[in-house]
Amino acid sequence: MTDKLLFRGGTLITASEMFEADILVADERIVAVGKDLTAPDAQVVDVQGKFLLPGGFDPHVHYDLPMFNTVSSDDHYTGTKAAAFGGTTTVMDFIPQDWPTLEEAYQAWRQKAAKSAVDYGFHMNITRWDDRTRAELPRLPEWGITSIKVFMAYNGRLRLQDGEIFEAMRLAWQHGILTMLHAENGDVIDILVREALEAGHTEPIWHARTRPPEGAVDAVLRGAMLAAQAEAPLYVVHMNTAGGAEMLQYAREQGVPVMGETCPQYLFFTEEDLKRPDGAKWICSPPMRTEADNDMLWHALEQGWMSTIGTDHCPFFYDGTKPIVYEGEEIAIPGKELGKDDFTKIPNGLPGVGDRLPVLWTEGVVKGRLTPQQFVAYTSTNPAKIFGLYPRKGTLAPGSDADIVVWDPDMKVTYGVAVAQHRTDYNLYEGWELTGFPVQVYLRGHLIVREGEWLGRRGMGQYLHCGQPTIL
Amino acid sequence: MTDKLLFRGGTLITASEMFEADILVADERIVAVGKDLTAPDAQVVDVQGKFLLPGGFDPHVHYDLPMFNTVSSDDHYTGTKAAAFGGTTTVMDFIPQDWPTLEEAYQAWRQKAAKSAVDYGFHMNITRWDDRTRAELPRLPEWGITSIKVFMAYNGRLRLQDGEIFEAMRLAWQHGILTMLHAENGDVIDILVREALEAGHTEPIWHARTRPPEGAVDAVLRGAMLAAQAEAPLYVVHMNTAGGAEMLQYAREQGVPVMGETCPQYLFFTEEDLKRPDGAKWICSPPMRTEADNDMLWHALEQGWMSTIGTDHCPFFYDGTKPIVYEGEEIAIPGKELGKDDFTKIPNGLPGVGDRLPVLWTEGVVKGRLTPQQFVAYTSTNPAKIFGLYPRKGTLAPGSDADIVVWDPDMKVTYGVAVAQHRTDYNLYEGWELTGFPVQVYLRGHLIVREGEWLGRRGMGQYLHCGQPTIL
Amino acid sequence: MTDKLLFRGGTLITASEMFEADILVADERIVAVGKDLTAPDAQVVDVQGKFLLPGGFDPHVHYDLPMFNTVSSDDHYTGTKAAAFGGTTTVMDFIPQDWPTLEEAYQAWRQKAAKSAVDYGFHMNITRWDDRTRAELPRLPEWGITSIKVFMAYNGRLRLQDGEIFEAMRLAWQHGILTMLHAENGDVIDILVREALEAGHTEPIWHARTRPPEGAVDAVLRGAMLAAQAEAPLYVVHMNTAGGAEMLQYAREQGVPVMGETCPQYLFFTEEDLKRPDGAKWICSPPMRTEADNDMLWHALEQGWMSTIGTDHCPFFYDGTKPIVYEGEEIAIPGKELGKDDFTKIPNGLPGVGDRLPVLWTEGVVKGRLTPQQFVAYTSTNPAKIFGLYPRKGTLAPGSDADIVVWDPDMKVTYGVAVAQHRTDYNLYEGWELTGFPVQVYLRGHLIVREGEWLGRRGMGQYLHCGQPTIL
Amino acid sequence: MTDKLLFRGGTLITASEMFEADILVADERIVAVGKDLTAPDAQVVDVQGKFLLPGGFDPHVHYDLPMFNTVSSDDHYTGTKAAAFGGTTTVMDFIPQDWPTLEEAYQAWRQKAAKSAVDYGFHMNITRWDDRTRAELPRLPEWGITSIKVFMAYNGRLRLQDGEIFEAMRLAWQHGILTMLHAENGDVIDILVREALEAGHTEPIWHARTRPPEGAVDAVLRGAMLAAQAEAPLYVVHMNTAGGAEMLQYAREQGVPVMGETCPQYLFFTEEDLKRPDGAKWICSPPMRTEADNDMLWHALEQGWMSTIGTDHCPFFYDGTKPIVYEGEEIAIPGKELGKDDFTKIPNGLPGVGDRLPVLWTEGVVKGRLTPQQFVAYTSTNPAKIFGLYPRKGTLAPGSDADIVVWDPDMKVTYGVAVAQHRTDYNLYEGWELTGFPVQVYLRGHLIVREGEWLGRRGMGQYLHCGQPTIL
């Protein structure tokens, strides 16, 4: 139960609208949106000159994820806290299929995630396609999970074969579950990685060179065509190539219900960054590509080919041998340095959940590439709709959770690791000059961030039961 | 001043949202949108199970328009009343440049339009490009007019040359005025019409045969390229061809700020209809084309290539020698029969302002081609934004005019001239079975239509001062 | 050694030219092309009013192919004889990898093929990708084989995995060997076939329904992207879908060296034909699809997206229980009737090698869809170039083999099984009225067909050593 | 009458072929193409290791063209001599409609052109569309003219209105005459030029800035759509924009019989060149654009969107006050310096007829962007076919004129004004290093250029009667 709050004088932005109004909040929800609202018992929040946005919804994060003998450095607490600092109040995390049953996996992940500081839902990875999985899959919605993720890469670890993907997505949709796809060509990657290592190539750039972009292009269309055959929708995660974007749109034009997600890192960086001395910082899968790819991905956003922008947040320390101070304590977690002599041992992933909104606002809205409404649509409304959490999340409608971001469009920030609050020792956007920043963040009516100050707490995030996915 | 109204229990639909909420209306405006709103002094309107839509916004109507020795049969009263019956509460009418000055034209049209029953704004036709027009054009916004229309067809009557259009759109945008374009190739039309008449071809089908679709395709791209050169935005009216839609999207993909409007008649009918014995009913400019064109226009709406759906409402009697009874009086206005021996004498135009929402709901939303939100965007929000009337019109936000349509999604209607309320003797959709219909229509909080009953009155429409156009 | 021949008065057609000239032939080759050539010792062939074409080159035939406990009904003699009747003097047959080594397979196939009546070359199927195959592959050119074929379908029998295909095409090209691809998605097919049988679906139409077109679309792009990654060219056989054609052209526009082949059956027939009582006659893999696919494949030929037209000739008897008379003897070979209760047991394939030129001339050239030069390019010059046999084959240049077809453009033929000379009991084009037909066919200067009379003989075909493939 | 010639040992290249053969020439024509030809009375030309190409065919040159109070500096003798040095033996010149009747124009131009040193045909400009022109147009084929050119730019001088173009192209095709189009938007150009001059902009770059590329894009599609409506083919000259190429291909994909020509200058230079101190050298209409445009035009050639490469040869002196020595005499003709204070007074045009083949061979064939066959197709075969001169011109077939270029693929040349033989004082390709060059050029069997030595003579060119155009 929260106090009543009356946001007075702001400009609301939703996926299609932009208008001045007051917002009245009570009992964690938005109660009314109106002109000159009055509520004698409410605390008034003066937001004159500010924008009010629905809390960011990041459809793609990884917390506390074991990888390569270490673990991603943000857990469900630190990673959701970081999200909040960047204006994001809902995150969707992936459950590895690392237990004998899906139910055990779900239970284990619920437990790990209980410390979350913002609201969260789950996608379920499906990385084994056996009778037990087939039998259990239909039960996911009981637990509030209505999305699974499959992989066309990571042979021998995560990959399913095409026929398995076909069966999984068909069965999933019969039970109202949306399939998400990691779209690369695992076969070729495995060959190229082996050959690169045999040839003594160990530098980070070989991460990109052993995962050619054409494999992603192929895989996007393959996924879409499997979806068409399975009569099921598909959501392609972290799209990183121009050709992939073209294939996505090709399939959409044919009427195939396929949706695409990209991430900020694919809009700003390229393989060249992997050649820097600290190139390991930019290692993620799939890799960044070229400026032409960046441009096409922006184009895809401008034209509405894509549906969402997530982050694939999965940070590691750049140098896990040197502790940082986090909430007053020294902490060090093995990270990118694990692969200093072998690019295949560099943990794949990077921080991003907190960077997403501020960076995209400056680069997208301020620079005129996205309207404020598109910004909200891509970062909040669309993911909420797709993953069955709308209108509870993703909008500022009466009845919605009072996840409200007070955005100061005039605020100037020199961004970087000192501003971002990820539990890691670097930030991709170090030194970027941003205009526009979240100055207050409310989670279900609770003020959790105020001008860089953390007012939230461990465990205050709620687990979200996802409903029926929507095809956008 | 209206009574306070409290719409209770409905589902609001906007251009991106769909959620259950109450709406409180006072002083002609929406005051609040909320959950379980209370207002002791308000009259409660029970809208349980109904959808609440922002009033329809028709960006393209013609009332009381002189043509071919007669006049379009709906004047500003009857035509706006018809609009209301179909759920449309804002219309944009075109002022002919038929007076020595634009100011006189504006004044004369204000006078004619004063009897309007719903709110209305104006576009100004620019059909002479002389020094006086150049000098006066910048004053249009003073009078609340921020859009002009130019023609690439109707040589010797309405057409401007390419250079004139270039200059007009450039000057217009320098003063915040958006240019609209009638895109056909007037030169070829004139030649083909002359030849058809010389060859003794008089039937309605020759209307289509003398206006080949390729002329529209050319003109759409020509308009867009002129816009690019003039660094001004463009709005192409009543798009009717597949190729035109492709050219629109081609230009948009290139970053040219060009927007497109189509109309229901181009989604449903073809040249074949002109071959019917009563083919004259389907005569409008540009003509309907083929099923392949219809399909591509639907595709363009699904994919977001188009921005709006208007009507180009401009009805004539099919047989103006036989009176109909309208508001208790017999009325007959010369119409299509004028051209029974010469297709060039058939007045160009057809009814549509009232048909738009009901027909598109059934054919678009019910049949799954458009989401409810797209329906609202195309028929209300987008035109309101483009023509500078948002958020006063086009949405259900606090502060917006209380133009509210109560839509019964389950209502079945056998549509036709007896249901539609246009002042003419026929309807294009005669006998169509519709599902979903506006059961109450509020104009600024005044109930003007209730289940087919007219509660509005002549002159209650307000003139709307359009603001800065928005490029969508 | 042949006599000297002087073709007098004809019009030569090549892939880009069309002009009147005489042709002088000696020693099995074209010696000169000229005006008013004289050669006192030559036999004059009067071809006034006729076209002279280079002999047809069919890049895709199967002779004597074991399948489903039977064998395709044309062997290397009957099938090449049938080719000749249709104006085709060069065929490329596929060697199954059905022996322990490639060399044994090659030797065995050489033996089988020795009875060929026209010239022939080989492609090698690669359906196992093991160390022995890897080691032996580079030796193919020694034997005159510079093309291999891989399969993305027929799991467990012929299919290679993506990584194997990648390795195979890369290794192949390093040795000047072109990879050909059967592009379907084997995984999905296997699932759907199993399910169809479980559901009791046994009719021929289920052959098409269990091989959805989307699998071919995916596979074409996948193949092209693997080729791009392998830096090797690719040739996609028997393309049958609109989407596949679009993907081919998409990849070509990106600069990927991928070429496409289609076959006449994909230009004329659809899945509907499989629903006929004798639908089994139309069973081939991949299946015919829809009229929209036919149209797009024609479009692809008109626009130059495709490079060749082959046949995938692989006939079976429709009713192998009823003998036909062939060269005076009764013959019956089990055929389509094997699958009368189970579509998966219907041998896949149909006659075509002899139909190709006459049917395409009428439907392509006479109907104005292809120029005579395009006809020659697709059916002779391009395959000869691609498979390293140009300019020995595929043109009418001096030095080329004197494979000359005398084509009567005015001849009318009612086509069908009685005209075609395939060793089977039906023809797909039964009753088609054709205009234009080969009236004389010369193989290396030997007249082997004269107005429907067979003058050739078993074994007169030569084995062709293919050279370096050309990328078109 | 020429001596008999026997070209021995060369490799012939045609639009689709490449093979070794001898060529026998007699009576100005190719008599035979063959292996080991013998002709005791023939002079043997040893062309071992050389390529033999059909003489270049430049479909677009201007000789002796009055412009801006001067005249283009190559007349029909010097300009055809320059052509020959570059391997071009056929040129098509344009007759201005500068006489009262077309017949007078034709006669006058025949007289001027009589001094030509290579063979030549004519296109007729149609720049007045009046009754006399309408009446006379059908007579053009009598005089051997089967192509007209119309202009969408140069208002008040050369331009026809859309309706006039429509009528002209329709009437022309009814008489077997092909229409060529200069595609820019004259209206906008006139406005921008006037404004630029008013603003005091006089530099060469303003030539490009006052002719925006969008006008060309529009005009290409407009031309194609007019052609579709007129049911006539169209040939768009000197295409210079990416968008224009896209529109050309768009129309071709729709089945519109429209063909495109580009010129070398549009493949290599950009607006940036106009900013050089000697930028006036690059002034031509339409202007060069950007590298992206260059790239797309190359792409269009690679993909077969375009049909020909011409030159629009129309040279002027860069500094007409300083004489050059030409054939031993000093000559100076006012040129680019006329516009040193006003870009609109700079004569539009540049040298090119001789540069075309050598520059394109190096940049196109040697660099792998075009095959040798495409090179021949674009620069010789296709224009000959399109303008009704095939197979007399454009190929190496028996019966064809013995226009033979002996091309040394290994010859290295540092190109420039000293090598080129245009009668002007500069060359666009100054200092370019070329590989491959014409070492002998034969016109109808007469050797006219031998390793840079001029053996031809004034007036030896023949006037060519063009036949029925071919649509490619």
Side-chain angles (χ1 to χ4, degrees), chain B residues 59-120:
Chain B
H60 193 152
V61 303
H62 298 283
Y63 293 139
D64 207 358
L65 184 72
M67 190 190 300
F68 299 2
N69 297 318
T70 183
V71 68
S72 68
S73 66
D74 261 331
D75 65 20
H76 287 83
Y77 168 59
T78 68
T80 49
K81 177 180 163 187
F85 273 101
T88 289
T89 52
T90 303
V91 295
M92 299 281 294
D93 189 25
F94 292 82
I95 308 176
Q97 195 182 11
D98 285 349
W99 283 262
T101 65
L102 298 178
E103 185 162 15
E104 287 164 284
Y106 161 67
Q107 294 294 1
W109 219 256
R110 278 297 298 269
Q111 207 161 345
K112 289 180 72 156
K115 56 174 138 358
S116 295
V118 304
D119 291 357
Y120 57 98

Side-chain angles (χ1 to χ4, degrees), chain C residues 14-22 30-37 249 252-255 299 303 305 371 373 381 385 390-391 394-400 471, chain D residues 14-22 30-37 249 252-255 299 303 305 371 373 381 385 390-391 394-400 471:
Chain C
T14 69
S16 66
E17 315 290 326
M18 191 162 171
F19 55 83
E20 294 177 25
D22 301 340
I30 292 173
V31 169
V33 175
K35 280 293 183 188
D36 306 322
L37 292 181
Q249 181 58 6
R252 288 171 67 87
E253 293 258 349
Q254 307 296 311
H299 184 73
Q303 296 288 325
W305 301 357
T371 64
Q373 291 96 330
T381 315
K385 287 181 174 173
Y390 176 90
T395 188
L396 293 174
S400 299
I471 302 168
Chain D
T14 68
S16 66
E17 315 290 326
M18 191 160 170
F19 54 84
E20 294 176 26
D22 301 340
I30 293 173
V31 169
V33 176
K35 281 293 181 187
D36 307 321
L37 291 181
Q249 181 59 6
R252 288 172 68 88
E253 292 258 349
Q254 307 296 312
H299 184 73
Q303 295 288 327
W305 301 358
T371 64
Q373 292 95 328
T381 316
K385 286 181 175 174
Y390 175 91
T395 188
L396 293 173
S400 300
I471 302 168

Side-chain angles (χ1 to χ4, degrees), chain D residues 191-399:
Chain D
I191 293 167
L192 295 181
V193 165
R194 194 189 61 228
E195 293 176 349
L197 291 180
E198 287 170 3
H201 299 308
T202 61
E203 304 83 359
I205 183 60
W206 286 92
H207 176 71
R209 289 182 181 154
T210 56
R211 308 181 87 88
E214 292 88 352
V217 179
D218 139 34
V220 170
L221 185 74
R222 183 150 38 113
M225 292 297 110
L226 291 172
Q229 292 172 84
E231 297 180 7
L234 182 70
Y235 176 100
V236 184
V237 298
H238 52 47
M239 293 186 64
N240 66 325
T241 64
E246 291 174 330
M247 288 301 104
L248 177 76
Q249 181 59 6
Y250 172 80
R252 288 172 68 88
E253 292 258 349
Q254 307 296 312
V256 180
V258 57
M259 298 170 279
E261 166 198 286
T262 190
C263 306
Q265 56 269 33
Y266 302 118
L267 299 171
F268 300 115
F269 303 105
T270 69
E271 295 187 18
E272 295 307 304
D273 291 295
L274 294 176
K275 298 182 185 164
R276 298 159 57 143
D278 58 348
K281 291 178 180 172
W282 279 264
I283 290 270
C284 61
S285 290
M288 293 88 165
R289 310 264 55 143
T290 69
E291 285 188 18
D293 292 283
N294 299 346
D295 289 349
M296 181 62 90
L297 292 168
W298 275 112
H299 184 73
L301 290 169
E302 290 162 11
Q303 295 288 327
W305 301 358
M306 294 280 172
S307 297
T308 72
I309 303 174
T311 63
D312 198 8
H313 176 83
C314 189
F316 294 90
F317 274 57
Y318 174 60
D319 184 349
T321 65
K322 298 198 189 134
I324 62 169
V325 176
Y326 186 89
E327 294 198 349
E329 298 191 27
E330 288 211 334
I331 186 157
I333 303 170
K336 303 283 190 181
E337 77 284 359
L338 294 172
K340 67 179 190 305
D341 299 324
D342 177 352
F343 73 92
T344 68
K345 296 195 165 56
I346 303 170
N348 284 204
L350 35 79
V353 71
D355 311 327
R356 186 176 60 137
L357 296 193
V359 169
L360 282 175
W361 182 273
T362 290
E363 296 295 321
V365 177
V366 175
K367 297 198 173 168
R369 290 191 269 210
L370 300 177
T371 64
Q373 292 95 328
Q374 284 177 306
F375 174 87
V376 169
Y378 284 131
T379 61
S380 181
T381 316
N382 287 0
K385 286 181 175 174
I386 291 170
F387 295 110
L389 288 167
Y390 175 91
R392 178 172 172 189
K393 301 295 187 184
T395 188
L396 293 173

Side-chain angles (χ1 to χ4, degrees), chain D residues 105-125:
Chain D
Y106 162 68
Q107 294 295 1
W109 219 254
R110 277 296 299 268
Q111 209 163 344
K112 290 179 72 155
K115 58 174 140 347
S116 296
V118 303
D119 291 357
Y120 57 98
F122 292 154
H123 311 294
M124 179 67 77
N125 284 357

Side-chain angles (χ1 to χ4, degrees), chain C residues 274-297:
Chain C
L274 294 176
K275 298 181 185 166
R276 297 160 58 143
D278 58 347
K281 291 177 180 172
W282 279 264
I283 290 271
C284 60
S285 291
M288 294 88 165
R289 310 263 55 143
T290 70
E291 285 188 17
D293 292 281
N294 299 347
D295 289 348
M296 181 61 91
L297 293 168

